[in-house]
Amino acid sequence: MADLDVVIVNYNAGGHLLACLGALDRAAAGTDLDVVIVDNASRDGSAERALEVHPAVRLVRNEENVGFAAAADQGIHATNAPWVFVVNPDAMVIAGTFAEVLTLADARSRVAIIGPLVRETDGTVYPSARRIPKLADALGHALIGPFSKDNRFTQAYTLADWDRTSEREVDWVSGSCMFLRRDAVDRVGAFDPGYFMYAEDADLCTRMRREGWRVLFTPVMEVRHERGVSTRGNPRMVWEHSRSIYRYVRKFVLTGWKRPLLPVAWLVVMARAALVTRGRTR
């Protein structure tokens, strides 16, 4: 059994996948890794090139793009280390080691998910660790956030007043790079494959916290993420994002007596998708 399993879901990531794998080697620093690439029917040969350079990596090939959540689950279920690091192929570890994260994890027995600090390609901090917004904040962020990040709804949702230099328990962390405790996943479940892409990370963190587990952000490790390498220019992703938001709202927010509000929520998320799509085509 490896010390840490690494799962990478790949879809036409090009040279980014090789860069990601190289960064894993540097961050290992004596930690025994079992790396699994789950390839979602890529057409660019990136998975094959990765195997040529890193022959110890295991490759799971899908004949079609099954989405991030389902593919990540394939990798998680194909491994057995106590912790799993799920990382995007367009993300690479730039500071810290896996040994440091695992030492931190071992000292916190109720922490199920750990998210490292994430930086944009220009070095600025990306707000990867966030709170689950209240309904009004969620509505404001959904409709205003895509066009202005300075609104109060988005600022509250992204915890904008926190500089991310300190460790902190949060509601959820980005699935672009997260550590998962195997025992917690075995008890609560992995990602919900009903999400093709987006919001599956918030869903998993929510389910973990509802079962008494904790979600932790730590700056002990830093990751640089060039977001959207596999999805850039694909208008479908805007609609998938809104569908995922609706799925999360249906599962966790508009429950019980709030159920009749679901049609309104659907109209809101579809209006959001239409506004974002229109804005990008101008």
Side-chain angles (χ1 to χ4, degrees):
M1 182 185 298
D3 300 320
L4 175 71
D5 293 322
V6 180
V7 172
I8 305 172
V9 176
N10 182 60
Y11 179 69
N12 295 329
H16 291 85
L17 178 58
L18 280 175
C20 175
L21 291 168
L24 294 179
D25 288 343
R26 292 190 292 273
T31 301
D32 183 21
L33 304 182
D34 182 9
V35 182
V36 177
I37 298 172
V38 183
D39 187 76
N40 267 337
S42 294
R43 301 179 302 276
D44 65 348
S46 53
E48 289 74 20
R49 289 196 297 274
L51 283 183
E52 291 174 3
V53 179
H54 299 271
V57 169
R58 288 194 285 151
L59 177 62
V60 176
R61 300 177 188 268
N62 288 327
E63 295 184 359
E64 61 180 354
N65 187 351
V66 299
F68 173 81
D73 286 354
Q74 286 178 270
I76 292 168
H77 296 318
T79 56
N80 60 4
W83 281 87
V84 186
F85 183 47
V86 179
V87 61
N88 282 10
D90 55 3
M92 57 186 295
V93 179
I94 58 173
T97 65
F98 293 125
E100 292 174 291
V101 177
L102 294 179
T103 297
L104 179 154
D106 288 342
R108 293 160 175 78
S109 61
R110 294 306 300 170
V111 169
I113 299 177
I114 298 175
L117 185 148
V118 178
R119 293 190 182 275
E120 303 272 19
T121 54
D122 63 1
T124 57
V125 175
Y126 176 72
S128 58
R130 305 184 178 191
R131 61 184 286 265
I132 299 297
K134 295 180 180 178
L135 193 56
D137 288 340
L139 181 63
H141 168 71
L143 295 178
I144 303 174
F147 310 101
S148 172
K149 303 298 182 185
D150 295 330
N151 69 84
R152 68 179 181 87
F153 307 107
T154 299
Q155 295 281 300
Y157 165 57
T158 61
L159 301 170
D161 59 348
W162 171 39
D163 62 9
R164 265 76 176 176
T165 60
S166 57
E167 181 182 298
R168 177 172 174 173
E169 286 190 24
V170 294
D171 288 348
W172 69 279
V173 295
S174 171
S176 65
C177 49
M178 60 161 53
F179 293 84
L180 304 177
R181 187 185 293 272
R182 175 79 56 183
D183 184 52
V185 171
D186 288 344
R187 294 168 185 262
V188 179
F191 293 109
D192 176 356
Y195 296 91
F196 183 82
M197 201 166 190
Y198 308 114
E200 71 288 315
D201 40 17
D203 179 294
L204 179 57
C205 289
T206 298
R207 285 186 283 122
M208 288 292 183
R209 290 189 299 105
R210 289 191 173 190
E211 293 297 323
W213 296 94
R214 296 173 179 173
V215 178
L216 184 72
F217 166 88
T218 179
V220 164
M221 175 170 280
E222 297 187 16
V223 172
R224 183 169 67 233
H225 185 203
E226 185 171 344
R227 294 182 291 132
V229 164
S230 298
T231 60
R232 194 172 293 140
N234 186 349
R236 173 190 173 185
M237 292 301 104
V238 175
W239 297 95
E240 290 295 347
H241 191 185
S242 290
R243 290 189 187 97
S244 292
I245 292 172
Y246 177 75
R247 182 175 181 84
Y248 182 90
V249 167
R250 181 164 56 84
K251 287 181 67 174
F252 301 109
V253 181
L254 297 182
T255 58
W257 64 270
K258 298 177 184 176
R259 212 69 178 168
L261 295 175
L262 281 174
V264 177
W266 177 253
L267 289 175
V268 169
V269 296
M270 289 298 104
R272 174 196 178 277
L275 286 170
V276 173
T277 302
R278 183 179 179 184
R280 290 182 179 178
T281 56
R282 283 181 175 177

